[in-house]
Amino acid sequence: MDKLQMYIDGRYTDAANGEWFESDNPFTGQPWALIAKGGPDDVELAVQAAHRAFTTGPWPEMTASQRGHLLRKLGDLVARDAKRLADLEVQDNGKLIAEMQAQCNYVPQWYYYFGGLADKIQGAVVPLDKKGYFNFTRHEPLGVAALITAWNSPLLLLAWKLAPALAAGCTAVVKPSEFTSASTLAFVKLVEEAGFPPGVVNVVTGFGRDVGNALVGHPLVRKVAFTGSDATGRAINELAAKQFKRVTLELGGKSPNIVFNDAKLDDAVNGAVSGIFAATGQTCIAGSRLLLQEDIHDQFVEKLLALAKTARMGDPKSLETQVGPITTRPQYEKVLGYIDVAKNDGAELLMGGGPATRPECGNGWFVEPTVFSGVKNDMRIAQEEVFGPVLSVIKFRDEEEALAIANGVRFGLGAGVWTNDIGRAIRMSERIQAGTVWVNTYRAVSYMTPFGGYKDSGIGRENGQDAIREYLQVKSTWINTGAPSGNPFVLK
Ligand code: TXE
């Protein structure tokens, strides 16, 4: 089996304790690589290296334009190696090669965009209310950033964090998910090739309770950016708060996809199916609650099932495959558990409802695309994130009821609205509590526009110009240009 080392202070290294753990291929259910099993000692080395690189040596000496140049170079290298990175990702996380190729081809845009933004972060001259003073602001990098990613889209989620962090002038310690470390370890070789100084980007592999926890709690880490579960996000937020660290948390959702009776139904069917079954439902923005206006409910469900049943399952390496395996064994068990919960709570099973045993699925962790109707919004299947190919269909009467259902969950990441009535589209987009609203489309994401959650879906924004501010702090400087220095005990 391949042995994949960590990357600390510009060197590839085993874990300090010499231990390794296995990474599995979700299609075969078998281990294919050994990953260095880091712990607190490795975190200490990596954070110290990142802190040294932040405070001394070439990185803090660089102009913002030079940082931008390095980022654009990194983007070019990712573009050059996109195919290799996509193949590696499919082997490690089981997502479809078609999706991973598209994703790895898109990832360079983050490095180009934030590379371009690096030297456009400007402070202001403040027109003060006091004579004899000059005041200006500048935006300074926070320091060492801990970037903790999940397994569903490792290199994309990393780009969302690393590109703005480096553009801002921070240094980074990256911790990929223990389920999918391989692509990040391949990517970091491109960081080195691009010419980033040692210590600017470090990767420590291992488990959340060892590496993740030690990173978040390290006093030299000033920023934590995280994508993952709300439970882990809460624990990270609590720990980070003790040392007043800035956090960006992206914690998933229970997003409504709302179809009104005046919508173009065939388009909405495509949007509903891709909303939940793309990436085997393993996306934070999965449209896992399909809200249908009552008078189109039956015909819509009929069309939806007809389309969903055509999905070809099988080897994610094949371009023909449309639904792949679940990435991790615990996640596979979690998805099946939720299917049982929905059945027991009285939801009506229309399709799927268990493990996929088709021959083309081999020994992989496959779940049949599953659709429940008759779901009530207070059922667990409508309230909790499943993160798999399981759709809950919920009926509504009118706009008010649709809104109450849409907002009646503790999450608020995304929402889809399908309607031909522009007034309704605008009213709904105003009143839905979510960081992203799509009208007559679903799942579109870009490096140019902010992404993040309302309510329990998270804190802060990734992507777009707002994202770089998450890695900066503002300093205000006062200069006396002639104000008299009087007796301090005589207030004027
Ligand atoms: O998540 P975790 P898991 C959701 C989805 C899924 C569930 C569990 O519902 O079923 O999360 O997935 C690191 N301190 N999402 O177990 O635990 C961990 O090592 C610091 C939503 O994979 O949140 C990994 O690198 N770090 C989601 C990362 O956190 C810790 C994407 C995420 O792991 C840590 C994936 C700790 N105490 C899953 N404990 C989305 N928002 O898109 C763990 N980690």
Side-chain angles (χ1 to χ4, degrees), residues 196-369:
F196 284 87
V200 171
V201 180
N202 307 272
V203 180
V204 182
T205 46
F207 290 79
R209 62 177 178 273
D210 309 324
V211 175
N213 212 41
L215 251 183
V216 176
H218 198 294
L220 289 177
V221 168
R222 293 313 312 160
K223 161 81 193 181
V224 182
F226 167 79
T227 299
S229 64
D230 57 319
T232 301
R234 187 169 291 110
I236 287 176
N237 201 21
E238 283 172 9
L239 188 55
K242 287 192 178 141
Q243 294 171 0
F244 306 105
K245 294 179 189 190
R246 292 264 298 277
V247 295
T248 310
L249 304 171
E250 200 275 90
L251 310 177
K254 197 71 205 177
S255 301
N257 213 346
I258 309 166
V259 187
F260 287 95
N261 57 10
D262 61 5
K264 287 186 182 153
L265 292 195
D266 290 331
D267 289 354
V269 168
N270 287 333
V273 167
S274 79
I276 186 63
F277 297 128
T280 320
Q282 301 173 109
T283 64
C284 48
I285 49 176
S288 52
R289 291 183 301 150
L290 176 63
L291 276 51
L292 297 179
Q293 199 156 20
E294 54 193 4
D295 47 343
I296 54 155
H297 176 277
D298 293 354
Q299 58 163 314
F300 195 95
V301 166
E302 199 177 309
K303 283 171 181 279
L304 177 113
L305 293 178
L307 178 58
K309 282 179 180 159
T310 65
R312 281 189 300 271
M313 301 182 81
D315 187 345
K317 292 195 294 303
S318 162
L319 280 169
E320 302 295 306
T321 302
Q322 294 166 328
V323 175
I326 302 290
T327 297
T328 79
R329 179 174 279 285
Q331 185 61 28
Y332 170 72
E333 283 156 8
K334 174 179 166 182
V335 175
L336 293 176
Y338 269 110
I339 289 174
D340 288 342
V341 165
K343 287 177 186 165
N344 291 336
D345 287 351
E348 186 189 344
L349 181 65
L350 299 182
M351 180 181 151
T357 50
R358 313 174 190 198
E360 56 272 30
C361 295
N363 294 323
W365 303 318
F366 284 85
V367 175
E368 284 290 344

Side-chain angles (χ1 to χ4, degrees), residues 2-157:
D2 296 348
K3 274 186 157 182
L4 308 181
Q5 292 177 304
M6 312 190 266
Y7 183 69
I8 297 177
D9 206 9
R11 281 188 296 275
Y12 298 93
T13 154
D14 294 355
N17 59 18
E19 292 181 26
W20 301 86
F21 66 98
E22 291 176 344
S23 199
D24 297 331
N25 176 334
F27 180 57
T28 62
Q30 297 299 315
W32 73 275
L34 288 173
I35 312 286
K37 186 167 175 239
D41 292 344
D42 305 287
V43 169
E44 184 61 35
L45 291 175
V47 174
Q48 291 292 353
H51 185 249
R52 266 195 313 279
F54 181 70
T55 48
T56 58
W59 185 247
E61 295 296 316
M62 274 184 202
T63 63
S65 303
Q66 287 169 327
R67 289 201 305 274
H69 177 71
L70 279 182
L71 277 161
R72 288 192 293 278
K73 212 164 149 194
L74 177 57
D76 283 343
L77 295 176
V78 176
R80 182 195 72 191
D81 287 3
K83 165 105 183 50
R84 185 172 64 82
L85 294 169
D87 288 343
L88 187 60
E89 201 75 278
V90 173
Q91 183 168 9
D92 208 22
N93 85 349
K95 282 181 107 180
L96 303 182
I97 185 66
E99 183 188 349
M100 282 299 107
Q101 271 173 2
Q103 199 172 90
C104 289
N105 284 332
Y106 199 28
V107 161
Q109 297 305 326
W110 270 263
Y111 296 102
Y112 297 145
Y113 177 83
F114 286 101
L117 200 53
D119 57 9
K120 293 163 195 70
I121 304 304
Q122 298 173 357
V125 172
V126 180
L128 277 181
D129 61 336
K130 298 179 198 326
K131 278 200 182 322
Y133 294 100
F134 180 75
N135 180 277
F136 66 93
T137 61
R138 61 165 114 225
H139 298 265
E140 297 182 346
L142 285 169
V144 178
L147 311 180
I148 303 175
T149 54
W151 41 262
N152 52 334
S153 292
L155 292 183
L156 186 72
L157 298 176

